[in-house]
Amino acid sequence: MSLFKKFFKGIIHNRDPKDETVKVKEEAKPKFYGTVPPYPNFNASSDASVLQSAIENKKVDVDVIVAILVKRNNEQRQKIKAVYESSSGKNLVKSLKSVLRSDVEDVILALLMPPAHFDAFLLRRATKGVGSDEDVLVEVLATRSYAEIQEIKKVFKQEYQKELEEVIKDETSGDFTAALLAMLNTKRDQNTVVDMELARKDAKILFEAGEGIGKANVSTFINILTTRSGPQLSKTFQHYAAISDLTLPKALQMELKGDIEDCLIDIVKCAWNTPAFFAEKLNRAMKGHGTHDEALIRILVSRSEVDLQKVVEEYRAMFERTLHEDIVNDTKGHYQKVLLALCGPN
């Protein structure tokens, strides 16, 4: 919670939810805010051949491997994988595993997974072994669309022979489990038109559930925070601030404790400004001694074709230095090159 005040001071009071609404004509594509667009003049056969040479050289050419895979989008990488296997008779993932090591191996293999497979992998890793990685569970479920989550559930069952819902029930407990299952199974409203009366009503309900007499009503928070659209919640938060001396996140921080507190505050942050939410996580990953490489890889790979341009912008606004600068200071070698390439131009 160390960045709590910085996040909301810099973001929540200075952001108009309407700024996040992209209005496009029917059938027009929304503006691309990723950093890895489709590579022009793409040729899967040529890329597969160059990769095979780079892998099979006496001295493995990691620069070539990085240059090709980072500059192709995920759809193009899947085509390269298919052509590589049909032309060489070898599995590209296995071939790369045999020649790459450490963090550069992890990030390159992450880039080769289709998005739903990568998310399923993240959720499995977060729930495997002793305890669970609560931050990752919330991050994935709070920032993917209902359609994306349905695909993740399908892939999770195929890959791990278990239902994601059952794994979550086994590995978590109490209100935290209820919140995760709500995000997993509830179809959040996608309407970008704000219902002002509903926002006022929800703000009053949330105020009474959190700051009224007696224990906080967690189920009320879960219900509203997991069903309303981002723009709708943003307006609700504004109304909440008008009837309370506290912002909603601050009220949650005071009323709740443990996993459910962190979970609901993260949902609020995502609803208000998803790129700022990820910028904060990236900063945490590189703050202090050591680097949380799993977090760096997870976020940069998963947002590279979604909104990483916005994440980079928010990072500079929130921390008064660039994401590129911090990556240069915290990483090195080919691993650093991959991360910087994913971030786009400085």
Side-chain angles (χ1 to χ4, degrees), residues 119-128 131-144 149 152 156 164-165 167-173 176-177 179-181 183-184 259 263 266-267 270 277 281 298:
D119 285 340
F121 163 76
L122 295 174
L123 292 171
R124 185 64 187 124
R125 187 170 65 184
T127 53
K128 199 172 182 181
S132 57
D133 190 334
E134 292 80 6
D135 279 357
V136 174
L137 293 176
V138 176
E139 177 188 311
V140 173
L141 296 179
T143 59
R144 278 31 166 198
I149 289 174
I152 292 166
F156 193 95
L164 179 54
E165 182 169 340
V167 171
I168 287 173
K169 286 179 181 178
D170 289 341
E171 297 296 330
T172 62
S173 61
F176 183 53
T177 303
L180 292 176
L181 293 181
M183 288 189 283
L184 187 68
D259 295 337
C263 173
D266 278 355
I267 293 173
C270 289
F277 168 76
K281 278 182 164 272
R298 182 180 74 244

Side-chain angles (χ1 to χ4, degrees), residues 39-49 72 76 80:
Y39 187 74
N41 303 316
F42 171 66
N43 186 316
S45 297
S46 173
D47 285 348
S49 176
R72 275 55 170 178
Q76 291 172 333
I80 293 170

Side-chain angles (χ1 to χ4, degrees), residues 7-253:
F7 182 96
F8 284 101
K9 184 178 180 182
I11 302 300
I12 216 164
H13 299 301
N14 299 324
R15 176 184 167 274
D16 184 345
K18 289 184 289 187
D19 293 342
E20 297 301 310
T21 304
V22 179
K23 294 184 178 179
V24 295
K25 293 181 180 180
E26 191 175 355
E27 294 185 5
K29 290 184 178 180
K31 185 175 178 181
F32 181 71
Y33 288 107
T35 53
V36 185
Y39 187 74
N41 303 316
F42 171 66
N43 186 316
S45 297
S46 173
D47 285 348
S49 176
V50 173
L51 277 175
Q52 185 175 356
S53 297
I55 291 168
E56 294 178 356
N57 269 350
K58 190 171 183 180
K59 187 177 186 304
V60 177
D61 196 335
V62 181
D63 285 319
V64 169
I65 294 170
V66 168
I68 289 179
L69 294 179
V70 175
K71 292 179 182 176
R72 275 55 170 178
N73 72 1
N74 196 275
E75 183 180 349
Q76 291 172 333
R77 291 183 209 117
Q78 303 315 311
K79 291 176 180 177
I80 293 170
K81 279 167 66 178
V83 172
Y84 183 94
E85 186 159 346
S86 64
S87 61
S88 70
K90 299 175 182 177
N91 180 284
L92 178 57
V93 171
K94 289 181 179 178
S95 294
L96 288 169
K97 273 186 175 181
S98 69
V99 298
L100 300 177
R101 297 291 179 268
S102 191
D103 296 323
V104 72
E105 175 189 354
D106 292 338
V107 69
I108 290 295
L109 295 186
L111 287 169
L112 284 169
M113 294 186 195
H117 285 73
F118 185 50
D119 285 340
F121 163 76
L122 295 174
L123 292 171
R124 185 64 187 124
R125 187 170 65 184
T127 53
K128 199 172 182 181
V130 179
S132 57
D133 190 334
E134 292 80 6
D135 279 357
V136 174
L137 293 176
V138 176
E139 177 188 311
V140 173
L141 296 179
T143 59
R144 278 31 166 198
S145 69
Y146 179 77
E148 287 169 338
I149 289 174
Q150 299 318 298
E151 183 63 21
I152 292 166
K153 287 162 71 173
K154 179 181 171 185
V155 171
F156 193 95
K157 179 67 183 294
Q158 290 172 347
E159 293 293 317
Y160 307 111
Q161 290 75 54
K162 294 182 179 181
E163 296 288 351
L164 179 54
E165 182 169 340
E166 295 306 313
V167 171
I168 287 173
K169 286 179 181 178
D170 289 341
E171 297 296 330
T172 62
S173 61
D175 292 327
F176 183 53
T177 303
L180 292 176
L181 293 181
M183 288 189 283
L184 187 68
N185 296 317
T186 303
K187 190 170 186 178
R188 186 186 288 276
D189 182 13
Q190 297 300 309
N191 193 350
T192 56
V193 177
V194 174
D195 183 331
M196 299 296 288
E197 184 55 38
L198 179 62
R200 280 189 286 269
K201 180 182 174 184
D202 281 348
K204 186 172 184 293
I205 291 171
L206 290 172
F207 176 79
E208 292 172 351
E211 298 183 53
I213 298 171
K215 188 179 178 182
N217 187 338
V218 178
S219 62
T220 298
F221 283 104
I222 292 172
N223 179 50
I224 291 175
L225 294 178
T226 61
T227 58
R228 307 295 191 254
S229 69
Q232 184 68 37
L233 284 175
S234 295
K235 186 56 67 175
T236 300
F237 303 155
Q238 289 180 348
H239 283 297
Y240 188 98
I243 62 176
S244 171
D245 293 332
L246 305 171
T247 62
L248 180 57
K250 190 65 178 177
L252 289 171
Q253 190 181 34

